Amino acid sequence: DDDYTSNLPDECLASIFDSLSSGDRKRSSLVCRRWLRVEGQSRDRLSLNSKSELADFLPRLLLRFDSVTKLSLKCDRRSISIADDALILISLSCRNLAGLKLRSCRELTDNGISLFSQNCSTLQKFSCESCSFGPKGMNLFLQNCPLLEEFSLKRLRGSPGGGYAEPVNPGKAAASLKVICLKNLYNGQCFAPLIIGASNLKRLKLSRCTGDWDKVLEMASVRVNGLMEVHLEKLQVSDLGLLSVSNFANLEILHLVKTPRCTNVGLVSVAEKCRLLRKLRIDGWKTNRIGDDGIISVANHCANLQELVLIGVNPTCLSLDKLGANCPNLERLALCGSESKLCIKSCPVSDNGMEAVARGCPNLVKIKVKKCRGVTNVGADWLKGRRGSLDLDLDNVEHEQLVDTSLDEQESRGGDFSSFNLRCRSRSFKTRLGSFSGTLRRWSCFGGGSRNNLGRN
């Protein structure tokens, strides 16, 4: 048979490979030698099982995939990983590597990561989980990578579990670092100089890292001016830390997850100074230290708010009224594990649900139902007949799904799921919650609910 691709330039063939899924791309590379060569030379991402046996195959793999810029090396926890010599070989063959992800490579040492960074000094993204090098290797790595923008560490096994730990400084990456993510680190305080010295930092995520973080946030607020996103999870941080966070005037995203020492006082300070806040997530851990006062302050000062997720927080009609009146851009409101009993998501409602609405919501003036296949014209006609003044917008036409019904991991944990969840991808979706204690002015049902939920308004 004629090979109709023989007249195609390699560049065109490579472009076709780029449009294929990973599996189809692998199968296509087996068609002929030319396809094998072009596919390998045009691949920029590569993920390898980094067991020790990989070292024997690396020379041939690196010869075939000579254009890789993003590399992932992952080893099974019960297996022996590649060692320093293999990592150094990779660095010599992939000088233009821009991104590296390491997971469970426990045979790598401070010396190996240092030599790697010397050969791949143009690295921009680095992610490491459950590896055995420590602060010494990290200092050398940061010193050798002046273009590094994203730095992520999780369970760094080389970090001592107690006593003094060598401080980690940003080195030559101080000006380039934009994202720092630290999770599950013993002696987490040794990374304080890294955070404080990253003057152009945009995103900071801290989770389950030991130490008192109030002082770190205070010092960072003096030297880091452009921080836009802060995640604080299971940390020793209090309102003093939030007072420092409030100094980040460009802050747009704030997550407070299981930080029981944070109260309304700290949240009010953030709301009053961080007027650009778009997304706020609070997991109060049912400590009841954040409530109406903090949420009302957010509603009064953060007009750009698009997403508010409250877990284990019990707001009342006072704060919900303020959100509805002052936050016209609100796209998602989720109340989980609270005293609220209204749930709207995914719209698994039927004509019976419409009947419940008619009987249970006497002040309802408008209802908008989208992609609720259980709601028929019969139910709509009955609703119009029973409530002639009701403005009904019924849309059963197949179209692109607008609602993301998935819940974040921490929202879906546990058996208690009492929530009001309204989530829409379209930024043009603007709904006023109205007065929960008075007349319900308008209701748009993009999400789901049950007959009982819809009937209890």
Side-chain angles (χ1 to χ4, degrees), residues 225-265:
N225 299 318
L227 202 61
M228 301 173 64
E229 182 174 351
V230 174
H231 292 226
L232 305 175
E233 178 178 354
K234 287 190 175 181
L235 295 176
Q236 187 177 341
V237 63
S238 68
D239 287 337
L240 293 177
L242 291 186
L243 287 172
S244 300
V245 171
S246 68
N247 292 322
F248 300 121
N250 295 321
L251 190 69
E252 296 184 7
I253 301 174
L254 175 62
H255 286 196
L256 297 176
V257 179
K258 298 180 179 179
T259 53
R261 296 172 61 194
C262 295
T263 72
N264 282 319
V265 175

Side-chain angles (χ1 to χ4, degrees), residues 20-291:
L20 300 178
S21 66
S22 178
D24 288 340
R25 182 164 183 151
K26 291 178 181 178
R27 286 185 284 270
S28 297
S29 67
L30 301 177
V31 170
C32 62
R33 291 183 178 180
R34 183 192 177 214
W35 285 27
L36 181 69
R37 173 180 57 81
V38 173
E39 192 278 329
Q41 292 176 346
S42 62
R43 183 185 288 268
D44 62 348
R45 296 172 180 263
L46 188 62
S47 180
L48 299 174
N49 186 337
S50 57
K51 294 181 180 180
S52 58
E53 295 84 357
L54 175 65
D56 296 332
F57 301 95
L58 271 178
R60 284 185 294 171
L61 283 172
L62 297 174
L63 182 62
R64 176 186 171 192
F65 302 106
D66 58 357
S67 299
V68 170
T69 58
K70 297 180 181 179
L71 178 64
S72 177
L73 299 173
K74 302 178 182 180
C75 184
D76 185 271
R77 293 181 180 180
R78 295 167 293 182
S79 303
I80 299 176
S81 73
I82 58 173
D84 290 345
D85 54 350
L87 188 65
I88 295 171
L89 176 61
I90 291 173
S91 68
L92 292 172
S93 301
C94 305
R95 297 273 186 172
N96 296 321
L97 205 62
L100 176 65
K101 180 180 293 186
L102 301 175
R103 190 178 72 185
S104 298
C105 296
R106 292 180 294 273
E107 302 303 315
L108 299 180
T109 68
D110 291 335
N111 184 59
I113 198 68
S114 173
L115 292 175
F116 169 87
S117 60
Q118 290 180 20
N119 296 327
C120 296
S121 58
T122 58
L123 202 69
Q124 298 174 18
K125 296 181 180 182
F126 176 72
S127 175
C128 172
E129 177 180 346
S130 299
C131 291
S132 296
F133 40 82
K136 178 181 178 181
M138 289 294 88
N139 273 316
L140 294 171
F141 179 87
L142 290 163
Q143 181 65 21
N144 293 330
C145 297
L147 303 180
L148 193 67
E149 296 182 359
E150 298 186 15
F151 184 78
S152 177
L153 290 182
K154 183 177 181 180
R155 287 194 296 268
L156 193 63
R157 297 181 180 275
S159 181
Y164 173 78
E166 178 182 345
V168 177
N169 293 280
K172 292 184 179 179
S176 61
L177 276 171
K178 302 294 190 301
V179 180
I180 294 178
C181 180
L182 306 176
K183 295 183 178 181
N184 297 81
L185 295 178
Y186 294 111
N187 276 314
Q189 293 290 292
C190 72
F191 291 90
L194 170 68
I195 298 171
I196 298 168
S199 56
N200 293 314
L201 192 64
K202 302 297 181 185
R203 296 167 56 193
L204 174 62
K205 297 183 179 182
L206 302 174
S207 176
R208 300 179 181 89
C209 295
T210 60
D212 188 346
W213 291 92
D214 285 341
K215 188 65 176 179
V216 178
L217 291 172
E218 179 185 354
M219 291 187 290
S221 66
V222 176
R223 300 187 58 180
V224 181
N225 299 318
L227 202 61
M228 301 173 64
E229 182 174 351
V230 174
H231 292 226
L232 305 175
E233 178 178 354
K234 287 190 175 181
L235 295 176
Q236 187 177 341
V237 63
S238 68
D239 287 337
L240 293 177
L242 291 186
L243 287 172
S244 300
V245 171
S246 68
N247 292 322
F248 300 121
N250 295 321
L251 190 69
E252 296 184 7
I253 301 174
L254 175 62
H255 286 196
L256 297 176
V257 179
K258 298 180 179 179
T259 53
R261 296 172 61 194
C262 295
T263 72
N264 282 319
V265 175
L267 183 58
V268 168
S269 67
V270 172
E272 289 178 347
K273 293 184 179 181
C274 302
R275 302 296 183 92
L276 301 180
L277 196 66
R278 294 186 298 107
K279 296 182 180 181
L280 175 62
R281 178 191 179 101
I282 301 175
D283 186 342
W285 223 359
K286 297 185 178 180
T287 56
N288 295 320
R289 304 195 71 183
I290 293 179

Side-chain angles (χ1 to χ4, degrees), residues 241-358:
L242 291 186
L243 287 172
S244 300
V245 171
S246 68
N247 292 322
F248 300 121
N250 295 321
L251 190 69
E252 296 184 7
I253 301 174
L254 175 62
H255 286 196
L256 297 176
V257 179
K258 298 180 179 179
T259 53
R261 296 172 61 194
C262 295
T263 72
N264 282 319
V265 175
L267 183 58
V268 168
S269 67
V270 172
E272 289 178 347
K273 293 184 179 181
C274 302
R275 302 296 183 92
L276 301 180
L277 196 66
R278 294 186 298 107
K279 296 182 180 181
L280 175 62
R281 178 191 179 101
I282 301 175
D283 186 342
W285 223 359
K286 297 185 178 180
T287 56
N288 295 320
R289 304 195 71 183
I290 293 179
D292 275 344
D293 291 344
I295 305 304
I296 289 174
S297 183
V298 171
N300 286 337
H301 297 99
C302 304
N304 293 324
L305 193 67
Q306 296 175 359
E307 179 176 309
L308 177 62
V309 177
L310 302 177
I311 304 173
V313 178
N314 291 316
T316 69
C317 294
L318 295 175
S319 55
L320 294 176
D321 286 346
K322 287 292 185 179
L323 288 169
N326 299 342
C327 301
N329 296 316
L330 193 64
E331 297 175 0
R332 182 189 183 197
L333 174 62
L335 306 181
C336 305
S338 66
E339 295 175 356
S340 174
K341 301 300 179 183
L342 179 62
C343 178
I344 298 180
K345 68 183 182 74
S346 183
C347 256
V349 297
S350 64
D351 290 342
N352 291 332
M354 295 299 98
E355 179 181 349
V357 169

Side-chain angles (χ1 to χ4, degrees), residues 379-451:
D381 291 340
W382 181 92
L383 188 59
K384 291 179 180 178
R386 183 65 181 263
R387 299 279 296 277
S389 62
L390 187 64
D391 184 359
L392 177 62
D393 183 357
L394 179 64
D395 178 13
N396 282 332
V397 180
E398 291 293 330
H399 56 80
E400 182 180 358
Q401 179 73 22
L402 291 178
V403 179
D404 183 356
T405 60
S406 62
L407 288 174
D408 293 334
E409 177 184 354
Q410 293 173 359
E411 293 174 31
S412 61
R413 289 178 181 170
D416 179 20
F417 178 55
S418 302
S419 71
F420 169 71
N421 190 327
L422 191 158
R423 184 170 184 173
C424 178
R425 289 197 182 102
S426 173
R427 290 196 175 183
S428 63
F429 173 65
K430 300 178 181 179
T431 183
R432 299 181 68 85
L433 298 179
S435 174
F436 275 68
S437 57
T439 301
L440 183 56
R441 297 295 183 188
R442 170 180 174 141
W443 193 261
S444 295
C445 182
F446 285 93
S450 66
R451 176 174 178 173

